[in-house]
């Protein structure tokens, strides 16, 4: 056991001894403290979480023009050339009927934030080699999927500064129940 | 009318609801009550042939083993695995064989599974849990570290919010309790309170959520409000007394009691304190409930009060007129089960079932009630009520809350029809 841990345990148990001698109360939380300090900077490349406000996005940029090649090579075999999906693979392009009601719920007509697309594709796609795309490739293919959904133009360059500002049509379509439990 | 049927009719049964439901007191008296009719049964004579010294009484048995297996005669007690999706290697679900199990604890090898990128082979020596974000000091914990913390054991159910989704279809599918409702299991989980670790890292004022991710190929992420995280969420290290199974997140998983299973992130590697939800794919694109008005519910966390009769259940056949035990499971994400009622006539009359055991909050409760089946058609249903007063709704009531395309969070009453031939089938009643 590293010295630091020993010291912490001893410190903790001495405090506990004193505390329990004084009050008779068992302060379980203080007995063991084994977490190794790390710096947030060390986690920057490892942490893949992208928040809806864009925080966590790595520096980079990409457009649909650049992304079409990535999509063709890495995504189209499963999601289809136009993003309609196939049995066992979800569509990436939403579809509404003439009344504007969703028939296929997907990125363009359902997802509330564009950051989710970056977060998910980077961590989970393609399923045979997740986390294999470079940052540039992720920006490019995200731009391409948004372009397929008519959300951005083909030339629109997505960057770490503007991805969170992409106007997602269904961003107000959710009722947050998190505090209604 | 056969001799046996006459016996059943003349017995002093205490009927508690129509179509054969009997008082719980017969659960204890069943053996006694039926002795008379069994003794008179000429079929019983045939059985004497089996009364001989069996071969296994005359030889030594098999040797000891390091890890035991079920009997070779119970090989049919298996999880129901779907066919693999070649376009999502390792993805999919397997279901607990609810109709083949008893009690309220699911054996570890039969706990339901749901993976998005297969089961990773995590080496605990190399695994780290990072707690960071809006904390005073980001911390890294090894598996060995966590084992040294004070642990707690608690019995909880775990249910996928897609469970029972098949019953949202327009027509009832010919399913079993497992195929329809088997994304449900119950276990005793042991681990370290998340609040203990969060306290050590020092949660900052601005933090109001956590975002948790796993280290499997999909690195599934989910957000949990901080108030829940500090309440009863824990890092599970043991499942029914042994280290949690790889399918359940070995070496560690987040466990969020009572909430949809998906938030209990397996192969947990990261907890980031944040000022809001991360809006992961699996809390936006998936696990959201479509409403009829075009909107959708996000973060529907606690699982609704629910029950299912596991026997008699879909695809079983009743082979005997007489008394059968109606038994099943009830659970709620909002408390303990306070009562379960059974109907044998499709919901016209109800009788209260016996609840077995401790009946803990957020755990599976086993219920039982005797039922006299004399060959007539029946529709068996169960209806659970929880300690918060929530009553399990009918299928129609649940469906009316959502868009027709919604498949999540279905907790409607299950109906099993019983034909005159004794065939039990999924029905929409």
């Amino acid at each position: 056991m590293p010295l630091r841990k020993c010291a912490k345990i001893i410190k903790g148990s001495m405090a506990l001894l004193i505390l329990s001698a004084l009050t008779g109360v068992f302060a379980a939380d203080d007995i063991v403290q084994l977490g190794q300090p790390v710096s947030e900077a060390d986690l920057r490349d490892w942490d893949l979480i992208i928040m809806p406000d864009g925080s966590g996005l790595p520096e980079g940029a990409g457009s649909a023009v650049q992304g079409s090649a990535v999509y063709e090579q890495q995504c189209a075999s499963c999601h289809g050339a136009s993003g309609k999906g196939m049995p066992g693979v979800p569509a990436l392009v939403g579809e509404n009927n003439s009344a504007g009601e969703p028939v296929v719920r997907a990125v363009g007509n359902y997802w509330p934030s564009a950051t989710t697309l970056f977060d998910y594709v980077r961590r989970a796609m393609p399923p045979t080699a997740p986390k294999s795309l470079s940052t540039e490739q992720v920006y490019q293919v995200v731009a391409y999927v948004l372009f397929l959904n008519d959300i951005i133009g083909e030339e629109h360059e997505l960057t770490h500064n503007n991805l969170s500002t992409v106007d997602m049509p269904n961003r107000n379509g959710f009722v947050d129940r998190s505090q209604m439990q | 009318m056969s001799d046996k049927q006459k016996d059943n009719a003349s017995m002093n049964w205490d009927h508690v609801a129509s179509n054969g439901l009997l008082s719980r007191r017969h659960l204890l008296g069943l053996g006694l009550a039926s002795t008379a009719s069994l003794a008179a049964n000429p079929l019983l004579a045939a059985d004497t042939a089996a009364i001989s010294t069996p071969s296994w009484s005359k030889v030594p048995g098999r040797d000891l083993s390091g890890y035991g297996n079920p009997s070779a005669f119970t090989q049919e007690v298996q999880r129901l695995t779907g066919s693999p999706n070649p376009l999502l290697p390792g993805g999919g679900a397997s279901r607990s064989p609810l109709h083949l199990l008893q009690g309220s604890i699911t054996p570890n090898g039969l706990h339901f599974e749901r993976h998005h990128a297969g089961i990773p082979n995590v080496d605990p020596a190399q695994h780290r849990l990072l707690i960071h974000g809006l904390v005073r000091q980001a911390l890294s914990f090894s598996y060995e570290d966590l084992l040294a913390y004070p642990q707690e054991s608690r019995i909880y159910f775990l249910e996928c919010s897609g469970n029972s989704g098949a019953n949202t279809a327009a027509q009832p599918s010919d399913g079993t309790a497992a195929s329809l409702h088997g994304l449900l299991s119950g276990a005793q989980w042991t681990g370290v309170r998340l609040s203990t670790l969060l306290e050590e890292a020092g949660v900052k004022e601005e933090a109001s959520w956590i975002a948790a991710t796993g280290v499997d190929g999909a690195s599934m992420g989910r957000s949990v409000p901080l108030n829940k995280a500090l309440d009863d969420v824990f890092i599970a290290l043991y499942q029914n007394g042994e280290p949690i199974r790889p399918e359940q997140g070995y070496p560690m998983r987040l466990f969020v009691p009572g909430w949809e299973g998906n938030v209990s992130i397996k192969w947990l590697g990261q907890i980031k304190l944040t000022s809001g939800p991360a809006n992961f794919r699996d809390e936006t694109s998936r696990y959201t409930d479509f409403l009829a008005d075009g909107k959708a519910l996000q973060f529907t966390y606690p699982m609704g009060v629910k029950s299912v009769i596991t026997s008699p259940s879909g695809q079983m056949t009743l082979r005997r007129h007489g008394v059968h035990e109606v038994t099943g499971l009830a659970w709620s994400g909002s408390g303990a089960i306070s009562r379960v009622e059974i109907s044998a006539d499709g919901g016209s009359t109800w009788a209260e079932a016996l609840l077995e055991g401790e009946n803990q909050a957020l755990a599976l409760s086993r219920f039982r009630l005797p039922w006299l089946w004399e060959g007539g058609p029946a529709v068996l249903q169960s209806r659970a009520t929880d300690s918060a007063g929530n009553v399990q709704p009918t299928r129609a009531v649940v469906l009316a809350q959502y868009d027709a395309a919604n498949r999540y969070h279905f907790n409607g009453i299950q109906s099993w029809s019983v034909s005159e031939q004794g065939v039990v089938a999924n029905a929409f009643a």
Side-chain angles (χ1 to χ4, degrees):
Chain A
M1 188 186 288
L3 265 182
R4 189 191 64 83
K5 289 190 184 179
C6 281
K8 256 184 144 178
I9 290 177
I10 292 165
K11 209 176 103 209
S13 30
M14 274 175 57
L16 178 80
L17 278 179
I18 296 164
L19 188 75
S20 42
L22 286 176
T23 63
V25 174
F26 190 67
D29 288 354
D30 295 327
I31 309 173
V32 188
Q33 295 212 332
L34 300 176
Q36 298 276 354
V38 288
S39 82
E40 205 66 49
D42 290 339
L43 302 179
R44 199 169 298 133
D45 292 339
W46 164 90
D47 174 17
L48 300 180
I49 296 175
I50 314 299
M51 299 297 285
D53 67 1
S55 59
L57 277 170
E59 258 179 57
S63 69
V65 175
Q66 299 160 323
S68 71
V70 183
Y71 186 84
E72 222 162 86
Q73 286 156 24
Q74 304 263 12
C75 322
S77 62
C78 292
H79 290 285
S82 57
K84 288 204 185 312
M86 59 176 71
V89 183
L92 298 183
V93 175
E95 210 183 297
N96 291 346
N97 63 19
S98 53
E101 294 153 351
V103 181
V104 177
R105 291 171 175 85
V107 175
N109 64 349
Y110 194 63
W111 291 32
S113 7
T115 50
T116 303
L117 189 57
F118 191 102
D119 177 287
Y120 181 73
V121 169
R122 184 167 63 153
R123 67 175 63 242
M125 286 294 132
T128 42
K131 306 171 190 72
S132 63
L133 299 181
S134 69
T135 297
E136 298 299 304
Q137 283 176 314
V138 179
Y139 275 108
Q140 292 166 359
V141 82
V142 162
Y144 191 72
V145 172
L146 291 172
F147 164 68
L148 286 178
N149 279 280
D150 282 330
I151 303 290
I152 60 171
E154 203 167 6
E155 311 280 345
H156 186 114
E157 185 174 69
L158 289 180
T159 71
H160 51 281
N161 289 321
N162 69 15
L163 179 65
S164 67
T165 65
V166 170
D167 192 6
M168 299 298 276
N170 196 42
R171 70 185 174 286
N172 295 322
F174 291 85
V175 180
D176 177 356
R177 300 196 72 217
S178 62
Q179 299 303 327
M180 288 185 232
Q181 325 285 348
Chain B
M1 204 185 238
S2 75
D3 281 358
K4 268 193 119 175
Q5 275 173 289
K6 248 182 264 155
D7 285 344
N8 285 328
S10 59
M11 285 289 302
N12 193 16
W13 298 119
D14 181 1
H15 285 262
V16 286
S18 83
N19 209 9
L21 288 173
L22 305 177
S23 164
R24 289 178 284 169
R25 74 181 171 83
H26 292 301
L27 282 173
L28 300 169
L30 270 182
L32 276 177
S34 51
T35 331
S37 57
L38 281 180
N41 191 341
L43 275 178
L44 209 65
D47 210 38
T48 54
I51 305 176
S52 61
T53 306
S55 59
W56 47 83
S57 290
K58 300 173 182 173
V59 288
R62 175 165 63 66
D63 257 328
L64 311 164
S65 59
Y67 199 100
N69 284 311
S71 160
F73 295 100
T74 62
Q75 291 306 303
E76 80 283 7
V77 185
Q78 300 274 332
R79 283 190 287 232
L80 196 68
T81 54
S83 40
N85 176 357
L87 300 178
L88 189 64
S94 73
R95 289 158 215 272
S96 289
L98 302 180
H99 56 303
L100 303 176
L101 300 175
Q102 266 292 356
S104 53
I105 296 288
T106 311
N108 289 343
L110 298 174
H111 194 289
F112 85 86
E113 304 170 86
R114 177 79 177 98
H115 318 305
H116 292 259
I119 304 157
N121 193 19
V122 181
D123 174 358
Q126 292 175 52
H127 180 77
R128 293 293 179 275
L129 169 63
L130 272 301
I131 297 185
H132 71 117
L134 297 173
V135 292
R136 278 190 290 282
Q137 175 61 61
L139 295 173
S140 165
F141 297 88
S142 72
Y143 178 58
E144 211 188 317
D145 289 339
L146 290 184
L147 291 174
Y149 278 79
Q151 298 192 39
E152 280 173 48
S153 298
R154 310 199 221 129
I155 295 174
Y156 289 127
F157 77 81
L158 193 72
E159 184 185 20
C160 175
S161 48
N163 196 30
S164 322
N167 278 350
T168 63
Q171 297 300 322
S173 54
D174 178 23
T176 64
S179 71
L180 295 168
H181 307 291
L183 296 175
L184 166 79
S185 298
Q188 186 199 52
W189 300 92
T190 304
V192 179
R193 271 179 183 261
L194 180 57
S195 60
T196 305
L197 305 181
L198 292 183
E199 215 165 280
E200 186 175 332
V203 176
K204 288 188 179 165
E205 277 292 283
E206 318 89 86
S208 53
W209 286 71
I210 64 166
T213 71
V215 299
D216 59 320
S219 295
M220 162 87 68
R222 285 300 308 257
S223 309
V224 175
L226 185 61
N227 50 5
K228 175 72 172 178
L230 290 172
D231 179 17
D232 58 358
V233 174
F234 64 111
I235 317 282
L237 303 167
Y238 293 86
Q239 173 189 357
N240 291 331
E242 65 177 352
I244 66 173
R245 290 288 175 95
E247 306 99 286
Q248 297 307 324
Y250 182 82
M252 60 188 72
R253 83 178 302 166
L254 194 68
F255 202 98
V256 186
W259 286 18
E260 59 179 357
N262 184 255
V263 299
S264 286
I265 294 290
K266 300 187 286 189
W267 314 292
L268 180 71
Q270 175 182 23
I271 289 178
K272 185 175 187 176
L273 281 291
T274 59
S275 57
N279 271 2
F280 288 113
R281 177 255 187 174
D282 287 288
E283 54 200 20
T284 52
S285 171
R286 305 290 142 139
Y287 303 97
T288 45
D289 313 308
F290 311 147
L291 300 178
D293 68 0
K295 297 241 177 195
L297 303 178
Q298 191 181 19
F299 308 121
T300 304
Y301 287 131
M303 295 306 291
V305 61
K306 189 164 166 184
S307 66
V308 59
I309 294 170
T310 54
S311 181
S313 61
Q315 295 183 16
M316 288 182 176
T317 303
L318 301 180
R319 304 208 178 276
R320 164 180 67 74
H321 292 177
V323 178
H324 294 261
E325 187 180 84
V326 175
T327 185
L329 295 167
W331 65 99
S332 167
S334 301
I337 291 299
S338 51
R339 71 180 189 153
V340 175
E341 299 154 289
I342 310 284
S343 173
D345 57 12
S348 299
T349 62
W350 296 89
E352 201 167 331
L354 180 84
L355 287 175
E356 196 174 72
E358 299 273 312
N359 200 18
Q360 301 180 47
L362 314 181
L364 297 181
S365 290
R366 169 69 56 178
F367 62 83
R368 303 178 191 280
L369 196 66
W371 173 53
L372 175 62
W373 183 60
E374 297 180 283
V379 174
L380 295 171
Q381 298 182 331
S382 62
R383 178 172 71 188
T385 302
D386 70 18
S387 52
N390 301 301
V391 181
Q392 183 180 7
T394 63
R395 175 174 173 274
V397 166
V398 179
L399 294 188
Q401 294 170 19
Y402 301 108
D403 182 87
N406 185 57
R407 296 286 173 270
Y408 294 114
H409 297 108
F410 179 85
N411 69 328
I413 289 172
Q414 169 68 46
S415 303
W416 301 119
S417 65
V418 182
S419 73
E420 289 174 11
Q421 289 71 40
V423 175
V424 187
N426 184 25
F428 292 166

